[in-house]
Amino acid sequence: DEVVSKWGIGSGVSLFILASISQAIVIGLFNWFNPQGRMPPGVFPRLVWLFQHYPLNYLLSANGLITWFIDGGILALITTLIIIFLVVFAEGTRVEIPLAHHLVRGARGRFPIKLIYASVLPMIFVRALQALIISFGFMLYQNGVKFLGDYAPGTARPISGIMYLLSPVRSPYDWVPAFVKDPSRNPLAPYFADMPDWMIILHLIIDATILIVGGILFAKFWVETSGMDAKTVANQIARSGLQIPGFRKSPQVLERILNRYIPKVTILGGAIIGLLTLIANMLGTVGNVSGTGLLLAVSIAYSFYEDLTREQLTEMHPMLRKFLGEE
């Protein structure tokens, strides 16, 4: 990480995260090896296996379409592609504030305020908080405190109570009642056989609320604590000698203008990231990558692209180095 941060582009930690999630996606697409001799785990080998073991008239029926669409991984593949395109679109959607240098005539630039202003970090905080709560409940359960809910034997997966309602949704097998109670699809199905359908749907609603509301709250927290708020950004722009054309060269004026956009974009971006994470987890992704992991990988890849572009710009316009805080 130190070598990449100093001599390369981006950070080594981000590169490892991107490589790990990309590897999981590639394996999820093409892995044909299954030691149990059943349906292979990869999406494309799984489709071949289905056409080899089921007649065509069944695959074209309603139950057959559900089989190859859900169990065959087509839905996960479509969801993965849609999430990738939506994150790239959201990363590229921005409000650009025009800037000009008060000493260098003709030197102009733009300060971009991205739609996903706080990036994907709020979702990491939300999922980390959920994992902490579930782990705390599991610790209490092991010590005989069971009023918060029961856990499946040998696992840390809650199967009842408040801990079940607060646990994250990971795939369609966690919120579609027919799939949750189907032993062929869900190994924990026997524990949910007597659970009412409304409680399974309530689990989904609570997880959606946690993701969207938590995304907004943590986005605001991250912006305020990481120096991305309007006041800090206005001071950085003023120190670099830049100003908004037609306005006085004053940090207070810059702050007032930035306050028109940054708070609103922070809230909207946090809600959008929460919604995208929810969709990815509800419908599943290739390679069983979590929704947060997929969003993080796409965001890191887009950041690498932006870093490459910025390197080219700072070579062409050395004055930008001062604004970006580079020597």
Side-chain angles (χ1 to χ4, degrees), residues 14 19 30 36 44 66 94 117 133 136 150 152 164 208 215 252 255 279 282 285-288 306 319 323 327:
S14 298
F30 302 106
Q36 298 178 353
F44 296 129
I66 294 176
R94 61 192 67 193
Y117 188 64
I133 293 173
F136 181 72
D150 296 324
Y164 167 73
Q252 289 75 24
E255 181 182 354
I279 293 173
M282 283 179 59
T285 55
V286 174
N288 293 324
E306 288 188 325
M319 186 194 69
F323 173 67
E327 296 180 358

Side-chain angles (χ1 to χ4, degrees), residues 74-221:
I74 294 297
L75 180 60
L77 178 60
I78 294 174
T79 303
T80 302
L81 294 175
I82 290 176
I83 293 298
I84 290 174
F85 286 125
L86 287 178
V87 173
V88 171
F89 174 77
E91 288 279 0
T93 303
R94 61 192 67 193
V95 176
E96 294 186 334
I97 307 297
L99 298 173
H101 201 282
H102 71 288
L103 294 178
V104 183
R105 181 175 299 178
R108 294 184 176 270
R110 296 179 182 274
F111 178 77
I113 302 176
K114 296 194 297 184
L115 179 59
I116 307 180
Y117 188 64
S119 187
V120 191
L121 290 172
M123 284 301 100
I124 298 177
F125 295 145
V126 170
R127 285 311 195 195
L129 180 60
Q130 279 186 286
L132 182 63
I133 293 173
I134 300 303
S135 299
F136 181 72
F138 183 62
M139 181 184 67
L140 294 178
Y141 179 79
Q142 288 182 315
N143 287 275
V145 182
K146 301 183 178 180
F147 71 93
L148 294 176
D150 296 324
Y151 285 74
T155 69
R157 292 284 300 275
I159 55 176
S160 66
I162 188 67
M163 288 294 105
Y164 167 73
L165 294 177
L166 293 177
S167 62
V169 171
R170 299 179 178 87
S171 69
Y173 309 114
D174 287 338
W175 66 274
V176 179
F179 294 165
V180 173
K181 300 179 181 182
D182 187 352
S184 64
R185 290 187 170 98
N186 185 4
L188 300 179
Y191 301 107
F192 299 108
D194 298 327
M195 180 176 288
D197 292 350
W198 65 263
M199 191 169 183
I200 298 175
I201 301 301
L202 181 62
H203 175 210
L204 173 65
I205 295 174
I206 291 177
D207 190 54
T209 304
I210 290 173
L211 287 175
I212 296 175
V213 176
I216 293 173
L217 294 178
F218 278 109
K220 290 180 65 66
F221 167 78

Side-chain angles (χ1 to χ4, degrees), residues 15 17 26-27 62 98 175 198 248 275 302:
L15 188 60
I17 294 173
V26 172
I27 291 176
W175 66 274
W198 65 263
R248 289 188 296 110
L275 183 61
Y302 195 88

